[in-house]
Amino acid sequence: MSPDLLFLVLVGAAFLAGFVDAIAGGGGMITVPALLLSGMDPLTALGTNKLQGLFGAGSATIGYARRGLVNLGSLLPAAALSALGSAAGAGLATVLPVEFLERLLPFLLIAIALYFAFKPGLSDVDRERRLSPALFALLAVPLIGAYDGLFGPGTGSFFMLAFVGLAGYGVLKATAHTKLLNFASNLGAFAVFAGVGTIDWRTGLAMGVAQFAGAQVGAWQASRLGARLIRPLLVSVCIALAVKLLTA
């Protein structure tokens, strides 16, 4: 494949990832393999993925906030904890093997898919919360952020599960709030990867523009259709990512 064609393939993959990620998470399932297939070493692929992922998560956050689905100010403390957790996870990623997570993750994703596929009563209506907002921010958010920095795939699905299962949010509201925390976790990991110089800036910025556009389309569709679109796509993304990891 010629360099110009490869570049266009990466940009197209980023647009698709932005669309999917804005609705159900899992965009890294598309972009990370694409970056690795382009010949990047794993650490550079992770760093470049965080750069372009910032654009997609930021775009989706703007899209949902513009439609009144998330109050950005009230979520900033949790976003800060997500970024700190992710920075810590990214620091570990530069020195630790992640084989254990690679083996465990497919089964976690299958469990998330089954939860959203068969849990009765899941809709866009809020339910009773199991953790207070403060405990949710202090316990769940940094752990998921750390996972994002250390490994990454499926982070949006884990945030979704936490918002629905622990915070009691409806599916659409959970999706909207997930994007700001995912943006923050991308930012924390990006800062670490940029510090160690493992980013292809030209590719990452070009893919970021495509991610931004794809995420705008995805956020618009999710806001319009709500749980009717988000639930089946989330289940499909989790199953697809699990199968990919199991057969890699």
Side-chain angles (χ1 to χ4, degrees), residues 41-74:
D41 65 88
L43 206 56
T44 301
L46 286 175
T48 304
N49 185 61
K50 292 304 177 189
L51 170 60
Q52 60 94 38
L54 280 173
F55 287 80
S59 173
T61 299
I62 293 169
Y64 287 119
R66 193 166 55 220
R67 292 169 176 84
L69 295 171
V70 57
N71 184 329
L72 299 182
S74 66

Side-chain angles (χ1 to χ4, degrees), residues 176-188:
H177 283 68
T178 287
K179 298 314 157 190
L180 177 59
L181 298 191
N182 212 166
F183 173 81
S185 65
N186 275 336
L187 184 61

Side-chain angles (χ1 to χ4, degrees), residues 81-93 145-146 148-150 184-185 187-192:
L81 291 170
S82 179
L84 290 173
S86 182
L92 291 175
D148 191 23
L150 178 63
S185 65
L187 184 61
F190 165 75
V192 173

Side-chain angles (χ1 to χ4, degrees), residues 66-238:
R66 193 166 55 220
R67 292 169 176 84
L69 295 171
V70 57
N71 184 329
L72 299 182
S74 66
L75 205 57
L76 287 180
L81 291 170
S82 179
L84 290 173
S86 182
L92 291 175
T94 63
V95 296
L96 292 180
V98 293
E99 285 80 6
F100 174 74
L101 281 175
E102 289 177 340
R103 291 193 295 269
L104 179 63
L105 181 58
F107 303 101
L108 294 177
L109 289 169
I110 290 171
I112 292 173
L114 293 174
Y115 177 86
F116 279 97
F118 298 110
K119 176 71 175 177
L122 286 183
S123 67
D124 293 327
V125 178
D126 288 355
R127 302 184 304 146
E128 183 178 357
R129 67 167 60 105
R130 297 182 179 179
L131 288 180
S132 69
L135 280 178
F136 180 82
L138 289 171
L139 298 179
V141 171
L143 286 176
I144 300 172
Y147 164 79
D148 191 23
L150 178 63
F151 195 58
T155 299
S157 302
F158 289 125
F159 272 130
M160 276 286 294
L161 179 64
F163 271 119
V164 172
L166 299 177
Y169 285 11
V171 173
L172 178 57
K173 183 179 177 181
T175 301
H177 283 68
T178 287
K179 298 314 157 190
L180 177 59
L181 298 191
N182 212 166
F183 173 81
S185 65
N186 275 336
L187 184 61
F190 165 75
V192 173
F193 287 124
V196 298
T198 58
I199 293 176
D200 182 328
W201 290 91
R202 175 179 176 270
T203 301
L205 290 172
M207 292 177 70
V209 172
Q211 270 260 17
F212 190 96
Q216 284 292 301
V217 178
W220 170 69
Q221 288 280 28
S223 300
R224 190 168 64 90
L225 299 175
R228 289 179 296 158
L229 173 64
I230 296 168
R231 281 187 71 177
L233 187 57
L234 178 64
V235 170
S236 300
V237 166
C238 287

